């Protein structure tokens, strides 16, 4: 396999990153570090290897904290890696990145293609700090070309900690399973008061309305959540509104 190359707006996976390590050609393995950590099947050598993994996990936290400690006010932007450049959500992602920078924020994404690339691009082109927090996956490689500060993690939970620690809020573009995971984790942390002043904005009324309706008509109606949980998620098509909500939360944080 050759290097990662980008042609006609698409990413072709030609390599695999395992944290700071790159694998190509016959050296690409078929599993991930997370998979091996969480798999308790097989011989009992895990008794001897898992304690050593703690050192690798520790090193990832140290690397992340050291790289992002001076980042300042930042907003996490989530969205699908499958968003094409001709998708309106891609143009909206660029606008989000640009306007966040104009409002004084750095932009943090998962560092991949699609909507993440768009937000990184908007931030970078606007002269702001464009951050990508990648993770080892079997089907994606490396960071998009618009990431100016990037880290590729081995462990999902370390990467998620960095998102939550260094983002003051989240703007969520249309996305799939990974985007939903990130969005609901942010809402859960706000609901359980693990974080404060944590606005979550979903961009795309047509895309997100079905989900919100299900939450209201099924989950809320059956008493599984409260109305305040739904109210934590603002749905809009207006990028200016989304950025304004992030700025307002920042102001309240400084006043408090």
């Amino acid at each position: 396999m050759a290097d990662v190359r980008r042609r006609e707006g698409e990413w072709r996976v030609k390599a695999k990153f395992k944290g700071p390590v790159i694998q190509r050609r016959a050296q690409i393995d078929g599993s991930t570090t997370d998979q091996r950590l969480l798999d308790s099947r097989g011989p009992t050598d895990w008794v001897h290897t898992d304690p050593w993994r703690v050192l690798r996990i520790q090193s990832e936290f140290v690397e992340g904290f050291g790289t992002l400690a001076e980042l300042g006010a930042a907003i996490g932007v989530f969205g699908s890696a499958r968003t094409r450049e001709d998708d309106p959500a891609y143009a909206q992602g660029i606008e989000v990145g640009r306007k966040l920078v104009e409002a004084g924020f750095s932009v943090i994404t998962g560092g991949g293609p699609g909507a993440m690339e768009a937000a990184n691009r908007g931030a970078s082109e606007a002269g702001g700090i464009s951050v990508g927090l990648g993770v080892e996956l079997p089907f994606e490689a490396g960071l998009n070309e618009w990431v100016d500060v990037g880290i590729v993690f081995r462990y999902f939970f370390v990467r998620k900690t960095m998102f939550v620690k260094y983002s003051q809020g989240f703007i969520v573009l249309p996305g799939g399973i990974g985007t939903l995971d990130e969005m609901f984790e942010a809402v859960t942390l706000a609901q359980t008061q693990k974080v404060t002043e944590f606005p979550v904005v979903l961009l795309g009324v047509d895309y997100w309305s079905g989900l919100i309706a299900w939450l209201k008509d099924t989950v809320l109606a059956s008493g599984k959540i409260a109305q305040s949980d739904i109210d934590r998620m603002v749905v809009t098509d207006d990028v200016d509104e989304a950025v304004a909500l992030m700025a307002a939360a920042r102001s309240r944080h400084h006043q408090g």
Side-chain angles (χ1 to χ4, degrees):
M1 293 186 180
D3 294 339
V4 177
R5 296 189 180 178
R6 189 165 168 270
R7 297 176 181 173
E8 299 177 355
E10 296 184 356
W11 282 73
R12 298 188 178 184
V13 178
K14 305 290 187 179
K16 179 180 177 182
F17 281 81
K18 298 172 69 66
V21 178
I22 185 172
Q23 296 177 334
R24 292 186 175 133
R25 292 173 283 277
Q27 297 305 310
I28 297 176
D29 59 28
S31 64
T32 66
T33 308
D34 271 325
Q35 178 184 355
R36 291 190 294 276
L37 171 66
L38 299 174
D39 192 350
S40 60
R41 297 168 295 179
T44 58
D45 61 353
W46 66 268
V47 174
H48 307 289
T49 58
D50 275 6
W52 288 104
R53 286 193 177 115
V54 173
L55 297 178
R56 176 176 285 169
I57 293 167
Q58 178 183 1
S59 72
E60 291 212 332
F61 277 112
V62 170
E63 190 71 38
F65 293 154
T67 301
L68 302 174
E70 305 298 327
L71 184 60
I75 299 299
V77 180
F78 299 140
S80 176
R82 303 182 186 187
T83 302
R84 299 174 60 91
E85 287 192 36
D86 58 359
D87 188 321
Y90 189 94
Q92 191 174 51
I94 294 177
E95 184 182 5
V96 167
R98 174 173 58 82
K99 289 188 173 180
L100 283 172
V101 167
E102 291 172 351
F105 292 105
S106 299
V107 173
I108 306 176
T109 80
M116 294 174 281
E117 175 191 297
N120 284 132
R121 178 177 175 178
S124 182
E125 289 182 335
I129 301 177
S130 174
V131 179
L133 305 181
V135 69
E136 175 193 350
L137 293 173
F139 47 80
E140 288 182 21
L143 301 171
N144 69 68
E145 62 183 300
W146 299 102
V147 169
D148 299 321
V149 177
I151 310 170
V152 179
F153 296 97
R154 294 173 183 265
Y155 298 100
F156 256 119
F157 60 87
V158 179
R159 178 203 197 206
K160 288 184 174 182
T161 299
M162 299 304 152
F163 266 115
V164 174
K165 180 172 176 59
Y166 293 104
S167 297
Q168 295 184 356
F170 292 119
I171 294 178
V172 188
L173 294 159
I177 298 297
T179 302
L180 290 169
D181 171 59
E182 293 162 335
M183 179 193 74
F184 277 115
E185 181 165 32
V187 174
T188 300
L189 290 170
Q191 180 204 51
T192 55
Q193 299 182 29
K194 294 296 185 181
V195 293
T196 56
E197 288 297 345
F198 212 67
V200 178
V201 177
L202 313 185
L203 274 178
V205 173
D206 289 342
Y207 190 86
W208 295 112
S209 290
L211 173 64
I212 299 301
W214 175 76
L215 289 172
K216 289 181 178 178
D217 298 341
T218 301
V219 187
L220 176 62
S222 63
K224 302 299 188 297
I225 59 174
Q227 180 63 45
S228 59
D229 298 322
I230 296 176
D231 293 341
R232 297 180 193 280
M233 296 173 284
V234 176
V235 182
T236 182
D237 286 322
D238 190 342
V239 174
D240 289 328
E241 179 184 0
V243 174
L245 288 168
M246 301 296 139
R250 178 179 57 190
S251 297
R252 289 193 298 271
H253 176 75
H254 289 163
Q255 291 171 1

